[in-house]
Structures are given as structure tokens and as C-alpha cells.
């Protein structure tokens, strides 16, 4: 396939392109094409903006994973706007190109996140679960609604409601593992909040599966089938690193340190990949102990 890719230099984008670079041809959208070339290699094509694409119909598929990292900074009003605009604007530009094309791409895979559902406590969440109204839902809901404008009988739309991606090459796991590596790791808040996670290998393979599954459309939870509480995850992470899990960071400390964004860590969601499993995808690393062992045994 000839694929147009946004977010190609991100954690998921790099992993996907590196795995399938000989199977597909990629054109990567990046404001800094020199840096993108340095990261991804000179065997790909690059454009500095979506506006440079004259005919999006030359692509068989569009994969849209662009977006400002959501948890790297405190959620000030300014930062919330940056987080939203980085997703909404890119998706709007792609959707406009697709809807005005005489021969649009056959599939549009666009990012979203399990933040769509808001805080759900220990309730088991699937794609049909009604969301709670909070910032992450507003962010993801509008993001998905914009992408849906590109859906037609000619273009199949797939929305990726992604959980916490576990990878040996950075991302959230690096930050979560650091206290344990220093011997001061432990649970966060009550420890009873759920973490819906997915190993990077399954993330990449699931995207590829949905890319080729012509009967699959709509929103899919990209999370492993076995979400765990923060307490369970912390103990498994400590075991994988051969470190103790002795401490607890109280909720008020997290709120002081992170502000409103701490809610993502202190609340959580017990999300399962119902539609992905029903579509026939089989997870390589379905449990957190296997996922962490895979990462830290390398």
C-alpha cells in the first residue's frame, strides 16, 4: 500500500513504519522533514505540511497519529488548547482533502484515546459504554467527529481508542519505571484505579490488522484484554525490574505535581478491546506480566 502517515516520528508511528517499511511505501508529514529523515531514514518520502499534498487520492490509506503529548505538561488553558488543536487541526485538514478527492483513499485510520470514556471507575468499558463528560472526552469526541466527516462508501474509517502503550523505546513506561529503577517505586493514589494498557507489538499489529480488514470500521479500543489495577501493575513492574514495590504516592501529591492531568493516573478506566477481539485479532501479549517480561528481558 501507498500510505500517508502523520505522527510518524512518535512512539507508535516509528514502530509501525519500521516494521512495515518493506511491505508498504510511506509518505510522512512532518514540520521538520530533516529531523524526520534523521529519525526514520531516507528511504521514505516526506512533506512538510498536508497543504503540500495536491491529490490525496494517490494514497491507498491515510494513518493519522499526530498530536501533542497529553501528559507531558500541566493542563493549563493554554496547554489544553495546544493538545486539542494539534489533533483537531491535522484531522480537519486530512478530512477536507479526503472528502474533496475524486478518488479518495480506501481507508482512513485516525487516532483517538480511551480518554473518550472519561472516569469509569472499575466498570468494564467497551466501545458501547456511554462516556462521562470531562476534558479527555471532549478532546476525543470532537477529534473523532472531525474524522467521521471523511467516512463514505469510498473511504472506510477506523478510529483507534488507544490505551497506555508499553514499549522499551520510551513513552509512558519510561516515566513509570524510573522510580522503581531508583528503588523508590510504588503505587499511585489508592492503587485501585485501573490501567488499560497495550504492548507496542500488539498496537502495531492491531493497526495493520484493521488496515487490511475491509469489514472493520468505526471505533476500536486498542488495549490488551486484561486491564489491571495500578497496584497489580506496580507489583508486576517491580518484579520485572527486580526492584521493591514499597512506597505509595498519595493522591494529593500527584495533584500538586501534575494538576488536573493527574486525573488520568488517579482515576483510570477498565477498558477491554471487545470489537477488536470480535473482528478476529489475536493478542501476542495479552497479560501485563508477559508484556513487561518481553520488554525487560531484551
Amino acid at each position: 500500500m501507498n500510505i500517508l502517515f502523520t505522527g510518524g516520528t512518535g512512539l507508535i508511528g516509528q514502530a509501525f513504519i519500521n516494521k512495515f517499511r518493506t511491505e508498504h511505501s510511506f509518505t510522512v508529514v512532518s514540520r521538520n522533514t530533516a529531523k524526520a529523515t534523521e529519525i526514520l531514514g531516507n528511504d521514505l518520502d516526506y512533506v512538510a505540511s498536508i497543504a503540500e499534498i495536491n491529490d490525496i487520492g494517490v494514497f491507498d490509506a491515510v494513518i493519522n497519529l499526530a498530536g501533542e503529548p497529553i501528559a507531558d505538561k500541566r493542563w493549563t488553558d493554554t496547554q489544553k488548547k495546544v493538545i486539542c488543536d494539534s489533533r483537531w487541526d491535522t484531522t480537519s485538514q486530512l478530512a477536507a482533502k479526503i472528502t474533496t478527492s475524486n478518488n479518495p483513499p480506501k481507508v482512513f485510520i485516525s487516532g483517538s484515546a480511551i480518554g473518550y470514556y472519561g472516569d469509569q471507575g472499575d466498570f468494564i468499558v467497551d466501545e458501547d459504554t456511554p462516556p462521562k463528560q470531562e476534558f479527555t472526552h471532549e478532546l476525543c469526541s470532537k477529534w473523532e467527529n472531525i474524522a467521521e466527516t471523511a467516512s463514505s462508501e469510498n473511504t472506510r474509517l477506523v478510529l483507534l481508542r488507544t490505551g497506555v502503550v508499553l514499549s522499551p523505546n520510551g513513552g509512558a513506561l519510561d516515566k513509570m519505571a524510573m522510580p522503581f529503577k531508583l528503588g523508590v517505586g510504588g503505587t499511585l493514589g489508592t492503587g485501585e484505579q485501573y490501567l488499560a494498557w497495550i504492548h507496542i507489538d500488539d498496537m502495531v499489529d492491531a493497526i495493520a490488522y484493521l488496515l487490511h480488514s475491509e469489514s472493520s470500521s468505526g471505533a476500536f479500543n486498542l488495549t490488551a484484554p486484561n486491564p489491571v489495577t495500578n497496584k497489580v501493575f506496580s507489583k508486576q513492574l517491580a518484579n520485572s525490574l527486580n526492584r521493591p514495590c514499597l512506597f505509595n504516592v498519595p493522591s494529593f501529591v500527584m495533584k500538586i505535581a501534575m494538576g488536573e492531568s493527574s486525573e488520568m493516573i488517579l482515576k483510570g478506566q477498565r477498558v477491554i478491546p471487545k470489537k477488536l477481539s470480535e473482528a478476529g485479532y489475536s493478542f501476542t501479549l495479552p497479560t501485563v506480566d508477559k508484556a513487561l517480561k518481553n520488554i525487560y528481558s531484551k
Side-chain angles (χ1 to χ4, degrees):
M1 283 187 174
N2 188 17
I3 300 175
L4 178 66
F5 211 110
T6 71
T9 59
L11 181 72
I12 301 168
Q14 286 188 56
F16 188 92
I17 290 171
N18 286 335
K19 180 164 185 177
F20 297 109
R21 67 193 312 135
T22 60
E23 183 176 333
H24 303 297
S25 58
F26 292 96
T27 296
V28 176
V29 181
S30 176
R31 288 191 301 269
N32 190 335
T33 56
K35 183 177 179 181
T37 304
E38 183 180 340
I39 293 171
L40 294 169
N42 57 15
D43 57 327
L44 310 179
D45 292 323
Y46 298 91
V47 293
S49 69
I50 295 167
E52 291 183 20
I53 301 166
N54 294 321
D55 182 12
I56 204 167
V58 302
F59 299 102
D60 303 301
V62 176
I63 299 179
N64 173 35
L65 303 182
E68 173 81 3
I70 195 168
D72 281 7
K73 299 178 182 178
R74 293 175 70 92
W75 285 354
T76 62
D77 289 343
T78 299
Q79 183 61 15
K80 282 184 176 181
K81 187 176 188 303
V82 171
I83 290 169
C84 291
D85 288 350
S86 65
R87 289 159 173 77
W88 298 346
D89 291 352
T90 299
T91 307
S92 292
Q93 293 177 60
L94 290 171
K97 290 280 187 180
I98 292 171
T99 55
T100 56
S101 174
N102 293 325
N103 182 36
K106 291 181 171 55
V107 58
F108 180 30
I109 295 181
S110 192
S112 184
I114 58 172
Y116 174 90
Y117 301 106
D119 177 25
Q120 297 285 343
D122 62 358
F123 185 78
I124 296 177
V125 176
D126 63 30
E127 289 84 356
D128 296 320
T129 300
K132 299 290 183 64
Q133 299 296 322
E134 50 194 67
F135 170 64
T136 55
H137 170 69
E138 294 168 6
L139 166 67
C140 295
S141 179
K142 184 170 179 179
W143 193 7
E144 292 184 8
N145 288 340
I146 293 169
E148 284 169 357
T149 63
S151 177
S152 70
E153 60 181 12
N154 297 314
T155 301
R156 174 171 59 91
L157 174 67
V158 175
L159 299 167
L160 309 176
R161 291 179 182 166
T162 305
V164 175
V165 180
L166 305 182
S167 167
N169 300 315
L173 186 59
D174 259 2
K175 297 177 181 178
M176 291 187 283
M178 184 56 66
F180 290 93
K181 292 178 180 179
L182 297 174
V184 294
T187 57
L188 303 176
T190 66
E192 299 303 318
Q193 69 274 27
Y194 272 85
L195 178 71
W197 60 275
I198 185 169
H199 189 283
I200 186 66
D201 290 353
D202 276 314
M203 182 72 201
V204 165
D205 289 345
I207 294 174
Y209 187 87
L210 294 170
L211 179 66
H212 295 287
S213 177
E214 295 183 1
S215 61
S216 297
S217 63
F220 288 82
N221 293 335
L222 265 69
T223 60
N226 297 289
V228 294
T229 63
N230 175 264
K231 185 180 296 184
V232 170
F233 182 84
S234 297
K235 289 180 178 179
Q236 291 286 358
L237 180 55
N239 288 338
S240 298
L241 293 168
N242 294 313
R243 294 290 192 275
C245 182
L246 301 175
F247 300 93
N248 171 260
V249 181
S251 297
F252 79 89
V253 174
M254 297 295 295
K255 290 177 181 177
I256 291 172
M258 299 179 64
E260 186 183 349
S261 64
S262 65
E263 293 180 2
M264 293 191 302
I265 296 171
L266 296 175
K267 292 182 178 179
Q269 298 120 331
R270 193 178 182 180
V271 181
I272 60 170
K274 181 182 177 184
K275 279 184 63 178
L276 187 58
S277 296
E278 289 176 347
Y281 180 77
S282 179
F283 283 80
T284 302
L285 296 162
T287 60
V288 73
D289 58 330
K290 291 182 178 179
L292 291 174
K293 183 178 180 180
N294 172 274
I295 290 171
Y296 290 114
S297 64
K298 293 181 179 178

